PDB file of all heavy atoms in Angstrom:
ATOM      1  N   PHE A  18     -45.369  91.934  90.688  1.00 96.00           N
ATOM      2  CA  PHE A  18     -46.374  91.149  90.021  1.00 96.00           C
ATOM      3  C   PHE A  18     -46.881  90.012  90.896  1.00 96.00           C
ATOM      4  O   PHE A  18     -48.081  89.714  90.932  1.00 96.00           O
ATOM      5  CB  PHE A  18     -46.010  90.626  88.656  1.00 96.00           C
ATOM      6  CG  PHE A  18     -46.275  91.621  87.537  1.00 96.00           C
ATOM      7  CD1 PHE A  18     -45.352  92.555  87.185  1.00 96.00           C
ATOM      8  CD2 PHE A  18     -47.518  91.550  86.942  1.00 96.00           C
ATOM      9  CE1 PHE A  18     -45.649  93.435  86.192  1.00 96.00           C
ATOM     10  CE2 PHE A  18     -47.818  92.493  85.925  1.00 96.00           C
ATOM     11  CZ  PHE A  18     -46.848  93.418  85.550  1.00 96.00           C
ATOM     12  N   LEU A  19     -46.008  89.337  91.571  1.00 94.00           N
ATOM     13  CA  LEU A  19     -46.407  88.278  92.457  1.00 94.00           C
ATOM     14  C   LEU A  19     -47.337  88.770  93.557  1.00 94.00           C
ATOM     15  O   LEU A  19     -48.334  88.120  93.863  1.00 94.00           O
ATOM     16  CB  LEU A  19     -45.190  87.547  93.083  1.00 94.00           C
ATOM     17  CG  LEU A  19     -44.297  86.764  92.063  1.00 94.00           C
ATOM     18  CD1 LEU A  19     -43.066  86.191  92.753  1.00 94.00           C
ATOM     19  CD2 LEU A  19     -45.128  85.682  91.396  1.00 94.00           C
ATOM     20  N   ARG A  20     -47.036  89.907  94.143  1.00 94.00           N
ATOM     21  CA  ARG A  20     -47.947  90.474  95.153  1.00 94.00           C
ATOM     22  C   ARG A  20     -49.252  90.929  94.537  1.00 94.00           C
ATOM     23  O   ARG A  20     -50.337  90.721  95.173  1.00 94.00           O
ATOM     24  CB  ARG A  20     -47.232  91.688  95.833  1.00 94.00           C
ATOM     25  CG  ARG A  20     -46.110  91.303  96.747  1.00 94.00           C
ATOM     26  CD  ARG A  20     -45.405  92.520  97.196  1.00 94.00           C
ATOM     27  NE  ARG A  20     -44.175  92.204  97.892  1.00 94.00           N
ATOM     28  CZ  ARG A  20     -43.925  92.310  99.135  1.00 94.00           C
ATOM     29  NH1 ARG A  20     -44.847  92.832  99.943  1.00 94.00           N
ATOM     30  NH2 ARG A  20     -42.801  91.988  99.699  1.00 94.00           N
ATOM     31  N   LEU A  21     -49.227  91.486  93.358  1.00 94.00           N
ATOM     32  CA  LEU A  21     -50.403  91.934  92.694  1.00 94.00           C
ATOM     33  C   LEU A  21     -51.325  90.780  92.395  1.00 94.00           C
ATOM     34  O   LEU A  21     -52.495  90.818  92.594  1.00 94.00           O
ATOM     35  CB  LEU A  21     -50.055  92.727  91.426  1.00 94.00           C
ATOM     36  CG  LEU A  21     -51.229  93.351  90.665  1.00 94.00           C
ATOM     37  CD1 LEU A  21     -51.896  94.511  91.471  1.00 94.00           C
ATOM     38  CD2 LEU A  21     -50.793  93.868  89.294  1.00 94.00           C
ATOM     39  N   ILE A  22     -50.771  89.694  91.883  1.00 92.00           N
ATOM     40  CA  ILE A  22     -51.546  88.496  91.585  1.00 92.00           C
ATOM     41  C   ILE A  22     -52.135  87.911  92.840  1.00 92.00           C
ATOM     42  O   ILE A  22     -53.322  87.470  92.829  1.00 92.00           O
ATOM     43  CB  ILE A  22     -50.680  87.489  90.854  1.00 92.00           C
ATOM     44  CG1 ILE A  22     -50.133  88.008  89.511  1.00 92.00           C
ATOM     45  CG2 ILE A  22     -51.407  86.139  90.599  1.00 92.00           C
ATOM     46  CD1 ILE A  22     -51.203  88.408  88.529  1.00 92.00           C
ATOM     47  N   ASP A  23     -51.366  87.916  93.938  1.00 90.00           N
ATOM     48  CA  ASP A  23     -51.869  87.434  95.190  1.00 90.00           C
ATOM     49  C   ASP A  23     -53.130  88.270  95.629  1.00 90.00           C
ATOM     50  O   ASP A  23     -54.113  87.719  96.039  1.00 90.00           O
ATOM     51  CB  ASP A  23     -50.826  87.479  96.320  1.00 90.00           C
ATOM     52  CG  ASP A  23     -49.930  86.298  96.318  1.00 90.00           C
ATOM     53  OD1 ASP A  23     -50.193  85.357  95.591  1.00 90.00           O
ATOM     54  OD2 ASP A  23     -48.859  86.368  96.979  1.00 90.00           O
ATOM     55  N   GLU A  24     -53.007  89.596  95.487  1.00 89.00           N
ATOM     56  CA  GLU A  24     -54.125  90.543  95.842  1.00 89.00           C
ATOM     57  C   GLU A  24     -55.320  90.168  94.981  1.00 89.00           C
ATOM     58  O   GLU A  24     -56.433  90.085  95.488  1.00 89.00           O
ATOM     59  CB  GLU A  24     -53.752  91.970  95.489  1.00 89.00           C
ATOM     60  CG  GLU A  24     -53.162  92.810  96.572  1.00 89.00           C
ATOM     61  CD  GLU A  24     -52.818  94.159  96.028  1.00 89.00           C
ATOM     62  OE1 GLU A  24     -53.620  94.812  95.257  1.00 89.00           O
ATOM     63  OE2 GLU A  24     -51.736  94.667  96.373  1.00 89.00           O
ATOM     64  N   ARG A  25     -55.070  90.001  93.724  1.00 85.00           N
ATOM     65  CA  ARG A  25     -56.190  89.761  92.774  1.00 85.00           C
ATOM     66  C   ARG A  25     -56.841  88.431  93.063  1.00 85.00           C
ATOM     67  O   ARG A  25     -58.075  88.227  92.872  1.00 85.00           O
ATOM     68  CB  ARG A  25     -55.698  89.805  91.319  1.00 85.00           C
ATOM     69  CG  ARG A  25     -55.274  91.183  90.887  1.00 85.00           C
ATOM     70  CD  ARG A  25     -54.693  91.176  89.496  1.00 85.00           C
ATOM     71  NE  ARG A  25     -55.750  91.251  88.525  1.00 85.00           N
ATOM     72  CZ  ARG A  25     -56.369  92.318  88.096  1.00 85.00           C
ATOM     73  NH1 ARG A  25     -56.063  93.466  88.658  1.00 85.00           N
ATOM     74  NH2 ARG A  25     -57.293  92.277  87.206  1.00 85.00           N
ATOM     75  N   SER A  26     -56.111  87.443  93.490  1.00 83.00           N
ATOM     76  CA  SER A  26     -56.676  86.121  93.733  1.00 83.00           C
ATOM     77  C   SER A  26     -57.657  86.144  94.891  1.00 83.00           C
ATOM     78  O   SER A  26     -58.524  85.279  95.015  1.00 83.00           O
ATOM     79  CB  SER A  26     -55.568  85.096  93.950  1.00 83.00           C
ATOM     80  OG  SER A  26     -54.866  85.335  95.146  1.00 83.00           O
ATOM     81  N   LEU A  27     -57.493  87.126  95.771  1.00 81.00           N
ATOM     82  CA  LEU A  27     -58.475  87.263  96.878  1.00 81.00           C
ATOM     83  C   LEU A  27     -59.842  87.732  96.348  1.00 81.00           C
ATOM     84  O   LEU A  27     -60.859  87.345  96.892  1.00 81.00           O
ATOM     85  CB  LEU A  27     -57.965  88.236  97.903  1.00 81.00           C
ATOM     86  CG  LEU A  27     -56.687  87.823  98.639  1.00 81.00           C
ATOM     87  CD1 LEU A  27     -56.223  88.990  99.541  1.00 81.00           C
ATOM     88  CD2 LEU A  27     -56.881  86.522  99.467  1.00 81.00           C
ATOM     89  N   GLN A  28     -59.844  88.496  95.310  1.00 79.00           N
ATOM     90  CA  GLN A  28     -61.083  88.961  94.730  1.00 79.00           C
ATOM     91  C   GLN A  28     -61.634  88.098  93.605  1.00 79.00           C
ATOM     92  O   GLN A  28     -62.863  87.943  93.459  1.00 79.00           O
ATOM     93  CB  GLN A  28     -60.865  90.365  94.085  1.00 79.00           C
ATOM     94  CG  GLN A  28     -60.328  91.399  95.080  1.00 79.00           C
ATOM     95  CD  GLN A  28     -59.879  92.616  94.370  1.00 79.00           C
ATOM     96  OE1 GLN A  28     -59.824  92.705  93.172  1.00 79.00           O
ATOM     97  NE2 GLN A  28     -59.409  93.596  95.151  1.00 79.00           N
ATOM     98  N   ASP A  29     -60.775  87.403  92.866  1.00 75.00           N
ATOM     99  CA  ASP A  29     -61.151  86.554  91.783  1.00 75.00           C
ATOM    100  C   ASP A  29     -60.201  85.370  91.692  1.00 75.00           C
ATOM    101  O   ASP A  29     -59.197  85.439  91.072  1.00 75.00           O
ATOM    102  CB  ASP A  29     -61.134  87.360  90.481  1.00 75.00           C
ATOM    103  CG  ASP A  29     -61.473  86.520  89.225  1.00 75.00           C
ATOM    104  OD1 ASP A  29     -61.937  85.442  89.412  1.00 75.00           O
ATOM    105  OD2 ASP A  29     -61.187  87.018  88.117  1.00 75.00           O
ATOM    106  N   CYS A  30     -60.585  84.289  92.365  1.00 68.00           N
ATOM    107  CA  CYS A  30     -59.655  83.156  92.496  1.00 68.00           C
ATOM    108  C   CYS A  30     -59.350  82.513  91.136  1.00 68.00           C
ATOM    109  O   CYS A  30     -58.246  81.987  90.953  1.00 68.00           O
ATOM    110  CB  CYS A  30     -60.212  82.110  93.455  1.00 68.00           C
ATOM    111  SG  CYS A  30     -61.873  81.542  93.040  1.00 68.00           S
ATOM    112  N   GLY A  31     -60.177  82.600  90.156  1.00 73.00           N
ATOM    113  CA  GLY A  31     -59.929  82.009  88.828  1.00 73.00           C
ATOM    114  C   GLY A  31     -59.075  82.919  87.959  1.00 73.00           C
ATOM    115  O   GLY A  31     -58.397  82.476  87.074  1.00 73.00           O
ATOM    116  N   GLY A  32     -59.089  84.213  88.244  1.00 79.00           N
ATOM    117  CA  GLY A  32     -58.342  85.195  87.422  1.00 79.00           C
ATOM    118  C   GLY A  32     -56.824  85.022  87.485  1.00 79.00           C
ATOM    119  O   GLY A  32     -56.116  85.213  86.508  1.00 79.00           O
ATOM    120  N   ALA A  33     -56.334  84.668  88.676  1.00 86.00           N
ATOM    121  CA  ALA A  33     -54.888  84.618  88.824  1.00 86.00           C
ATOM    122  C   ALA A  33     -54.309  83.474  87.983  1.00 86.00           C
ATOM    123  O   ALA A  33     -53.216  83.622  87.422  1.00 86.00           O
ATOM    124  CB  ALA A  33     -54.582  84.352  90.294  1.00 86.00           C
ATOM    125  N   GLU A  34     -54.984  82.385  87.827  1.00 90.00           N
ATOM    126  CA  GLU A  34     -54.435  81.285  86.975  1.00 90.00           C
ATOM    127  C   GLU A  34     -54.516  81.635  85.461  1.00 90.00           C
ATOM    128  O   GLU A  34     -53.797  80.969  84.688  1.00 90.00           O
ATOM    129  CB  GLU A  34     -55.128  79.968  87.272  1.00 90.00           C
ATOM    130  CG  GLU A  34     -56.567  79.890  86.806  1.00 90.00           C
ATOM    131  CD  GLU A  34     -57.284  78.617  87.206  1.00 90.00           C
ATOM    132  OE1 GLU A  34     -56.902  78.037  88.209  1.00 90.00           O
ATOM    133  OE2 GLU A  34     -58.188  78.246  86.443  1.00 90.00           O
ATOM    134  N   ARG A  35     -55.275  82.582  85.120  1.00 94.00           N
ATOM    135  CA  ARG A  35     -55.384  83.028  83.732  1.00 94.00           C
ATOM    136  C   ARG A  35     -54.254  83.944  83.312  1.00 94.00           C
ATOM    137  O   ARG A  35     -54.076  84.258  82.125  1.00 94.00           O
ATOM    138  CB  ARG A  35     -56.698  83.709  83.460  1.00 94.00           C
ATOM    139  CG  ARG A  35     -57.879  82.742  83.661  1.00 94.00           C
ATOM    140  CD  ARG A  35     -59.212  83.480  83.527  1.00 94.00           C
ATOM    141  NE  ARG A  35     -59.335  84.238  82.266  1.00 94.00           N
ATOM    142  CZ  ARG A  35     -60.050  85.334  82.136  1.00 94.00           C
ATOM    143  NH1 ARG A  35     -60.715  85.836  83.229  1.00 94.00           N
ATOM    144  NH2 ARG A  35     -60.143  85.927  80.993  1.00 94.00           N
ATOM    145  N   ILE A  36     -53.361  84.340  84.275  1.00 94.00           N
ATOM    146  CA  ILE A  36     -52.274  85.256  84.020  1.00 94.00           C
ATOM    147  C   ILE A  36     -50.974  84.471  84.102  1.00 94.00           C
ATOM    148  O   ILE A  36     -50.666  83.874  85.126  1.00 94.00           O
ATOM    149  CB  ILE A  36     -52.259  86.412  84.986  1.00 94.00           C
ATOM    150  CG1 ILE A  36     -53.618  87.175  84.887  1.00 94.00           C
ATOM    151  CG2 ILE A  36     -51.098  87.362  84.659  1.00 94.00           C
ATOM    152  CD1 ILE A  36     -53.795  88.237  85.994  1.00 94.00           C
ATOM    153  N   ALA A  37     -50.183  84.490  83.010  1.00 95.00           N
ATOM    154  CA  ALA A  37     -48.857  83.857  82.987  1.00 95.00           C
ATOM    155  C   ALA A  37     -47.825  85.006  83.061  1.00 95.00           C
ATOM    156  O   ALA A  37     -47.812  85.847  82.207  1.00 95.00           O
ATOM    157  CB  ALA A  37     -48.692  83.013  81.754  1.00 95.00           C
ATOM    158  N   ILE A  38     -46.970  84.906  84.033  1.00 95.00           N
ATOM    159  CA  ILE A  38     -45.906  85.938  84.223  1.00 95.00           C
ATOM    160  C   ILE A  38     -44.562  85.354  83.847  1.00 95.00           C
ATOM    161  O   ILE A  38     -44.191  84.297  84.362  1.00 95.00           O
ATOM    162  CB  ILE A  38     -45.858  86.419  85.714  1.00 95.00           C
ATOM    163  CG1 ILE A  38     -47.225  86.838  86.178  1.00 95.00           C
ATOM    164  CG2 ILE A  38     -44.815  87.484  85.879  1.00 95.00           C
ATOM    165  CD1 ILE A  38     -47.687  88.141  85.684  1.00 95.00           C
ATOM    166  N   ASP A  39     -43.807  86.018  83.015  1.00 96.00           N
ATOM    167  CA  ASP A  39     -42.458  85.632  82.654  1.00 96.00           C
ATOM    168  C   ASP A  39     -41.554  86.822  82.852  1.00 96.00           C
ATOM    169  O   ASP A  39     -41.230  87.585  81.929  1.00 96.00           O
ATOM    170  CB  ASP A  39     -42.375  85.127  81.241  1.00 96.00           C
ATOM    171  CG  ASP A  39     -40.992  84.580  80.884  1.00 96.00           C
ATOM    172  OD1 ASP A  39     -40.179  84.431  81.790  1.00 96.00           O
ATOM    173  OD2 ASP A  39     -40.771  84.308  79.663  1.00 96.00           O
ATOM    174  N   ILE A  40     -41.175  87.023  84.119  1.00 96.00           N
ATOM    175  CA  ILE A  40     -40.344  88.167  84.502  1.00 96.00           C
ATOM    176  C   ILE A  40     -39.208  87.642  85.311  1.00 96.00           C
ATOM    177  O   ILE A  40     -39.459  87.029  86.405  1.00 96.00           O
ATOM    178  CB  ILE A  40     -41.112  89.234  85.337  1.00 96.00           C
ATOM    179  CG1 ILE A  40     -42.297  89.771  84.484  1.00 96.00           C
ATOM    180  CG2 ILE A  40     -40.202  90.407  85.760  1.00 96.00           C
ATOM    181  CD1 ILE A  40     -43.191  90.682  85.269  1.00 96.00           C
ATOM    182  N   PRO A  41     -37.965  87.765  84.839  1.00 95.00           N
ATOM    183  CA  PRO A  41     -36.811  87.217  85.624  1.00 95.00           C
ATOM    184  C   PRO A  41     -36.697  87.956  87.013  1.00 95.00           C
ATOM    185  O   PRO A  41     -37.050  89.141  87.113  1.00 95.00           O
ATOM    186  CB  PRO A  41     -35.609  87.560  84.756  1.00 95.00           C
ATOM    187  CG  PRO A  41     -36.160  87.827  83.414  1.00 95.00           C
ATOM    188  CD  PRO A  41     -37.573  88.324  83.580  1.00 95.00           C
ATOM    189  N   ALA A  42     -36.176  87.238  87.956  1.00 92.00           N
ATOM    190  CA  ALA A  42     -35.895  87.828  89.250  1.00 92.00           C
ATOM    191  C   ALA A  42     -35.008  89.044  89.118  1.00 92.00           C
ATOM    192  O   ALA A  42     -34.146  89.062  88.176  1.00 92.00           O
ATOM    193  CB  ALA A  42     -35.355  86.798  90.163  1.00 92.00           C
ATOM    194  N   ALA A  43     -35.098  89.921  90.037  1.00 90.00           N
ATOM    195  CA  ALA A  43     -34.233  91.166  90.068  1.00 90.00           C
ATOM    196  C   ALA A  43     -34.352  92.060  88.869  1.00 90.00           C
ATOM    197  O   ALA A  43     -33.450  92.765  88.526  1.00 90.00           O
ATOM    198  CB  ALA A  43     -32.798  90.724  90.320  1.00 90.00           C
ATOM    199  N   THR A  44     -35.479  92.041  88.212  1.00 94.00           N
ATOM    200  CA  THR A  44     -35.749  92.975  87.140  1.00 94.00           C
ATOM    201  C   THR A  44     -36.262  94.270  87.748  1.00 94.00           C
ATOM    202  O   THR A  44     -37.390  94.327  88.296  1.00 94.00           O
ATOM    203  CB  THR A  44     -36.814  92.475  86.127  1.00 94.00           C
ATOM    204  OG1 THR A  44     -36.339  91.204  85.632  1.00 94.00           O
ATOM    205  CG2 THR A  44     -37.037  93.413  84.999  1.00 94.00           C
ATOM    206  N   GLN A  45     -35.465  95.319  87.718  1.00 94.00           N
ATOM    207  CA  GLN A  45     -35.772  96.549  88.463  1.00 94.00           C
ATOM    208  C   GLN A  45     -36.187  97.643  87.469  1.00 94.00           C
ATOM    209  O   GLN A  45     -35.611  97.799  86.380  1.00 94.00           O
ATOM    210  CB  GLN A  45     -34.503  97.069  89.212  1.00 94.00           C
ATOM    211  CG  GLN A  45     -34.027  96.159  90.299  1.00 94.00           C
ATOM    212  CD  GLN A  45     -34.793  96.370  91.568  1.00 94.00           C
ATOM    213  OE1 GLN A  45     -35.147  97.481  91.913  1.00 94.00           O
ATOM    214  NE2 GLN A  45     -35.064  95.288  92.288  1.00 94.00           N
ATOM    215  N   VAL A  46     -37.144  98.420  87.923  1.00 95.00           N
ATOM    216  CA  VAL A  46     -37.581  99.619  87.197  1.00 95.00           C
ATOM    217  C   VAL A  46     -37.730 100.774  88.192  1.00 95.00           C
ATOM    218  O   VAL A  46     -37.897 100.508  89.404  1.00 95.00           O
ATOM    219  CB  VAL A  46     -38.901  99.446  86.414  1.00 95.00           C
ATOM    220  CG1 VAL A  46     -38.687  98.406  85.298  1.00 95.00           C
ATOM    221  CG2 VAL A  46     -40.031  99.106  87.313  1.00 95.00           C
ATOM    222  N   ARG A  47     -37.700 101.985  87.741  1.00 95.00           N
ATOM    223  CA  ARG A  47     -37.916 103.131  88.638  1.00 95.00           C
ATOM    224  C   ARG A  47     -39.226 103.731  88.180  1.00 95.00           C
ATOM    225  O   ARG A  47     -39.405 104.189  87.060  1.00 95.00           O
ATOM    226  CB  ARG A  47     -36.756 104.137  88.468  1.00 95.00           C
ATOM    227  CG  ARG A  47     -36.892 105.251  89.450  1.00 95.00           C
ATOM    228  CD  ARG A  47     -35.443 105.766  89.830  1.00 95.00           C
ATOM    229  NE  ARG A  47     -35.499 106.784  90.829  1.00 95.00           N
ATOM    230  CZ  ARG A  47     -35.556 106.536  92.134  1.00 95.00           C
ATOM    231  NH1 ARG A  47     -35.608 105.312  92.573  1.00 95.00           N
ATOM    232  NH2 ARG A  47     -35.616 107.575  93.001  1.00 95.00           N
ATOM    233  N   PHE A  48     -40.227 103.784  89.142  1.00 95.00           N
ATOM    234  CA  PHE A  48     -41.544 104.194  88.849  1.00 95.00           C
ATOM    235  C   PHE A  48     -42.238 104.534  90.152  1.00 95.00           C
ATOM    236  O   PHE A  48     -41.909 103.988  91.218  1.00 95.00           O
ATOM    237  CB  PHE A  48     -42.304 103.038  88.155  1.00 95.00           C
ATOM    238  CG  PHE A  48     -43.293 103.425  87.131  1.00 95.00           C
ATOM    239  CD1 PHE A  48     -42.971 103.532  85.766  1.00 95.00           C
ATOM    240  CD2 PHE A  48     -44.625 103.648  87.478  1.00 95.00           C
ATOM    241  CE1 PHE A  48     -43.919 103.836  84.811  1.00 95.00           C
ATOM    242  CE2 PHE A  48     -45.587 103.987  86.486  1.00 95.00           C
ATOM    243  CZ  PHE A  48     -45.201 104.050  85.179  1.00 95.00           C
ATOM    244  N   ASP A  49     -43.228 105.366  90.118  1.00 92.00           N
ATOM    245  CA  ASP A  49     -44.096 105.553  91.283  1.00 92.00           C
ATOM    246  C   ASP A  49     -44.945 104.337  91.487  1.00 92.00           C
ATOM    247  O   ASP A  49     -45.630 103.871  90.560  1.00 92.00           O
ATOM    248  CB  ASP A  49     -45.026 106.806  91.040  1.00 92.00           C
ATOM    249  CG  ASP A  49     -45.905 107.152  92.189  1.00 92.00           C
ATOM    250  OD1 ASP A  49     -46.852 106.347  92.455  1.00 92.00           O
ATOM    251  OD2 ASP A  49     -45.682 108.125  92.850  1.00 92.00           O
ATOM    252  N   ARG A  50     -44.868 103.720  92.729  1.00 94.00           N
ATOM    253  CA  ARG A  50     -45.490 102.408  92.964  1.00 94.00           C
ATOM    254  C   ARG A  50     -47.101 102.538  92.723  1.00 94.00           C
ATOM    255  O   ARG A  50     -47.648 101.641  92.134  1.00 94.00           O
ATOM    256  CB  ARG A  50     -45.244 101.954  94.359  1.00 94.00           C
ATOM    257  CG  ARG A  50     -45.715 100.531  94.660  1.00 94.00           C
ATOM    258  CD  ARG A  50     -45.274 100.039  96.004  1.00 94.00           C
ATOM    259  NE  ARG A  50     -43.790  99.878  96.026  1.00 94.00           N
ATOM    260  CZ  ARG A  50     -43.188  98.748  95.638  1.00 94.00           C
ATOM    261  NH1 ARG A  50     -43.839  97.733  95.161  1.00 94.00           N
ATOM    262  NH2 ARG A  50     -41.847  98.711  95.668  1.00 94.00           N
ATOM    263  N   GLY A  51     -47.670 103.556  93.200  1.00 90.00           N
ATOM    264  CA  GLY A  51     -49.112 103.707  93.061  1.00 90.00           C
ATOM    265  C   GLY A  51     -49.505 103.833  91.622  1.00 90.00           C
ATOM    266  O   GLY A  51     -50.506 103.280  91.138  1.00 90.00           O
ATOM    267  N   HIS A  52     -48.698 104.599  90.830  1.00 91.00           N
ATOM    268  CA  HIS A  52     -48.953 104.746  89.430  1.00 91.00           C
ATOM    269  C   HIS A  52     -48.830 103.427  88.686  1.00 91.00           C
ATOM    270  O   HIS A  52     -49.638 103.091  87.820  1.00 91.00           O
ATOM    271  CB  HIS A  52     -48.035 105.805  88.797  1.00 91.00           C
ATOM    272  CG  HIS A  52     -48.313 107.229  89.252  1.00 91.00           C
ATOM    273  ND1 HIS A  52     -47.471 108.270  88.896  1.00 91.00           N
ATOM    274  CD2 HIS A  52     -49.275 107.739  89.994  1.00 91.00           C
ATOM    275  CE1 HIS A  52     -47.976 109.368  89.359  1.00 91.00           C
ATOM    276  NE2 HIS A  52     -49.053 109.095  90.101  1.00 91.00           N
ATOM    277  N   LEU A  53     -47.748 102.689  89.009  1.00 96.00           N
ATOM    278  CA  LEU A  53     -47.560 101.441  88.384  1.00 96.00           C
ATOM    279  C   LEU A  53     -48.706 100.445  88.649  1.00 96.00           C
ATOM    280  O   LEU A  53     -49.138  99.743  87.811  1.00 96.00           O
ATOM    281  CB  LEU A  53     -46.205 100.825  88.806  1.00 96.00           C
ATOM    282  CG  LEU A  53     -45.784  99.530  88.077  1.00 96.00           C
ATOM    283  CD1 LEU A  53     -45.637  99.731  86.577  1.00 96.00           C
ATOM    284  CD2 LEU A  53     -44.475  98.975  88.679  1.00 96.00           C
ATOM    285  N   HIS A  54     -49.165 100.456  89.884  1.00 94.00           N
ATOM    286  CA  HIS A  54     -50.259  99.614  90.278  1.00 94.00           C
ATOM    287  C   HIS A  54     -51.515  99.969  89.413  1.00 94.00           C
ATOM    288  O   HIS A  54     -52.169  99.073  88.860  1.00 94.00           O
ATOM    289  CB  HIS A  54     -50.554  99.762  91.782  1.00 94.00           C
ATOM    290  CG  HIS A  54     -51.524  98.758  92.285  1.00 94.00           C
ATOM    291  ND1 HIS A  54     -52.928  98.877  92.088  1.00 94.00           N
ATOM    292  CD2 HIS A  54     -51.338  97.635  92.975  1.00 94.00           C
ATOM    293  CE1 HIS A  54     -53.486  97.858  92.694  1.00 94.00           C
ATOM    294  NE2 HIS A  54     -52.570  97.049  93.188  1.00 94.00           N
ATOM    295  N   ARG A  55     -51.775 101.229  89.240  1.00 91.00           N
ATOM    296  CA  ARG A  55     -52.873 101.692  88.445  1.00 91.00           C
ATOM    297  C   ARG A  55     -52.782 101.256  86.994  1.00 91.00           C
ATOM    298  O   ARG A  55     -53.729 100.766  86.365  1.00 91.00           O
ATOM    299  CB  ARG A  55     -53.054 103.163  88.583  1.00 91.00           C
ATOM    300  CG  ARG A  55     -54.129 103.818  87.748  1.00 91.00           C
ATOM    301  CD  ARG A  55     -55.490 103.361  88.215  1.00 91.00           C
ATOM    302  NE  ARG A  55     -56.512 103.769  87.365  1.00 91.00           N
ATOM    303  CZ  ARG A  55     -57.424 104.732  87.576  1.00 91.00           C
ATOM    304  NH1 ARG A  55     -57.336 105.407  88.740  1.00 91.00           N
ATOM    305  NH2 ARG A  55     -58.336 105.044  86.738  1.00 91.00           N
ATOM    306  N   VAL A  56     -51.592 101.468  86.393  1.00 95.00           N
ATOM    307  CA  VAL A  56     -51.329 101.158  84.982  1.00 95.00           C
ATOM    308  C   VAL A  56     -51.515  99.645  84.786  1.00 95.00           C
ATOM    309  O   VAL A  56     -52.209  99.193  83.873  1.00 95.00           O
ATOM    310  CB  VAL A  56     -49.994 101.628  84.542  1.00 95.00           C
ATOM    311  CG1 VAL A  56     -49.600 101.078  83.150  1.00 95.00           C
ATOM    312  CG2 VAL A  56     -49.917 103.136  84.567  1.00 95.00           C
ATOM    313  N   VAL A  57     -50.817  98.872  85.598  1.00 97.00           N
ATOM    314  CA  VAL A  57     -50.794  97.396  85.416  1.00 97.00           C
ATOM    315  C   VAL A  57     -52.174  96.869  85.661  1.00 97.00           C
ATOM    316  O   VAL A  57     -52.673  95.983  84.916  1.00 97.00           O
ATOM    317  CB  VAL A  57     -49.748  96.792  86.317  1.00 97.00           C
ATOM    318  CG1 VAL A  57     -49.908  95.257  86.430  1.00 97.00           C
ATOM    319  CG2 VAL A  57     -48.336  97.127  85.811  1.00 97.00           C
TER     320      VAL A  57
END
């Protein structure tokens, strides 16, 4: 999510501050990275 928000801030600098993330460190899931990017 931190990387995704960084990516998005390049396209829409105001959009990143509108998103609040509450995900503890080391929260792991097993998923296809490209699919997860598309879904999220």
Side-chain angles (χ1 to χ4, degrees):
F18 271 92
L19 292 176
R20 289 175 192 246
L21 184 68
I22 299 301
D23 280 347
E24 264 180 44
R25 294 176 82 80
S26 66
L27 296 173
Q28 300 166 0
D29 177 12
C30 55
E34 69 184 29
R35 294 174 57 208
I36 302 170
I38 307 284
D39 185 9
I40 301 174
T44 301
Q45 297 278 321
V46 295
R47 187 148 184 85
F48 213 92
D49 181 290
R50 187 173 295 273
H52 289 175
L53 185 60
H54 190 279
R55 176 67 189 253
V56 170
V57 167

